[in-house]
Amino acid sequence: MSSTLHAPAPTRTPGDPTPAEEAASPHARRFGLPIATCLVMGNIIGGGIFLLPASVAPFGTISLVAFGVLTAGAIALALVFGRLSQRLPQTGGPYVYARAAFGDFAGFLAAWSYWITAWVSNAALAVAAVGYISVLFPAVGEHKAAMCLAALAVQWLPALANLAGTRYVGTVQLISTVLKFAPLLLVAVGGLFFFDPANLGPFQATGQSPVGAVSAAAAILLFSYLGVESAAVSAGEVRDPARNVGRATILGTAGAAAVYLLGTLSVFGLVPHEKLVSSEAPFTDAVNGMFGGTWGGTLVACAAVISMLGALNGWTLLSAQTPYAAARDGLFPKVFEAKKRGVPVVGVLVTVVLASGLTIYNYTLGSDGVFEVLVLVTTFTATVPYLLSTAAQIYFLLSGQSERVHRGRLVRDGVLAGLAFGFSMWLVAGSGYAAVYQGVLFLFAGVLVYAAMSARKHRAGHRATA
């Protein structure tokens, strides 16, 4: 058996808080199943849902079929993460799985790509949030400096909640999930009582074949489920992770899927098709159609801002967890190991500083499209950990490792892993040629970092045995 099959568990270094010390801290608290589920749901549903119905409306109601197919793929991926977290219930998620199956290099690629995805996506989320803030406070949208400050505030508030400790991260995540789901459920469930089939429009609104229309709609929807791995990445902060991470992943993904599908269906039935295809605020139009008046815009803008703050709160934690796990194994700079109140503080700070720098660049010198290129990169880098994780599950199943495979569920786990791998490949294909090209360059740039960290780890090991 290769030595890469049993990646060593990270060892505690001097200065690290012990589990007992962390438990004694009033600011550190392990996540139970409800908060872990909110972490998954909150990270999957950011701000994109508020535009999704209008984005897929040009294809007709056949886009709901695409949503159904994607939901099946996302659930399969969630189930695979649940299985992997039972075998390896450690902080780091995809990094841990890839390293356990394929060694340090694959683990590093998973950590590197996930980290890039996190901090670039945080900057993009903050910039998108400013558009909704401007609806609530029009003066913000009149000056670039005000927009930039608002975007920075949107990033630093969740970062401060993270720095305060996991207790506050969990509280913010729970509150933001409840607050943002209230208006979404109002449309998703309440809208069914105002549903008018005449508003649906044609089943196929384009001249494409059914398969072509589903694929085209899916290309837009593909990244709606990014975040299914959230509980797995934070497994070390979840109580009884072997049991709760899998449950939270499945419940969170299923909950997000229900809101997506019901919300899109309701909007389709509330807003006339010819109006929906050109709508810039489909949920606002839906609320106004349900109750009349024009207050829907304010309600949806509030929900969108809360939704993005909740997503930033969760993604800020995840952006620090993976480098933390890799640093403990000597594959990221040692400084990322620093942890207080249950939170990798240096990882949080580095992430928010990088995201803030990118945000400032976007509002001051961003005329040459660098910001857009970086956001495009994340559509590819986000899929790399998924591919490596599902490949790791397939490897564990085919290699017959009794300590990692439940033989009674071999066939079922194999089918799920195959579906999840196919879904991950579909995500890569949906990224587009430009995203894959740019993303591969960023991914390979990490090889130089890996070379330096691997050499340092080798020297340290050599000195320890000398």
Side-chain angles (χ1 to χ4, degrees), residues 310-404:
L312 280 164
N313 180 65
W315 278 106
T316 299
L317 177 64
L318 299 190
S319 69
Q321 296 284 23
T322 299
Y324 164 78
R328 286 173 69 89
D329 295 325
L331 299 179
F332 252 61
K334 190 176 179 62
V335 68
F336 282 92
E337 284 187 66
K339 193 174 186 181
K340 293 181 180 179
R341 307 181 189 91
V343 175
V345 290
V346 173
V348 169
L349 286 171
V350 171
T351 293
V352 73
V353 167
L354 287 172
S356 297
L358 183 55
T359 300
I360 293 171
Y361 180 89
N362 176 67
Y363 283 109
T364 56
L365 304 172
S367 57
D368 56 356
V370 171
F371 181 82
E372 289 76 10
V373 168
L374 286 173
V375 172
L376 186 65
V377 164
T378 65
T379 63
F380 170 76
T381 57
T383 65
V384 174
Y386 292 173
L387 279 172
L388 289 172
S389 296
T390 53
Q393 173 72 337
I394 291 170
Y395 170 76
F396 292 146
L397 294 171
L398 295 180
S399 62
Q401 299 177 56
S402 58
E403 76 279 10
R404 288 184 167 87

Side-chain angles (χ1 to χ4, degrees), residues 297-316:
T298 300
L299 176 67
V300 172
C302 288
V305 172
I306 293 170
S307 179
M308 292 185 184
L309 282 172
L312 280 164
N313 180 65
W315 278 106
T316 299

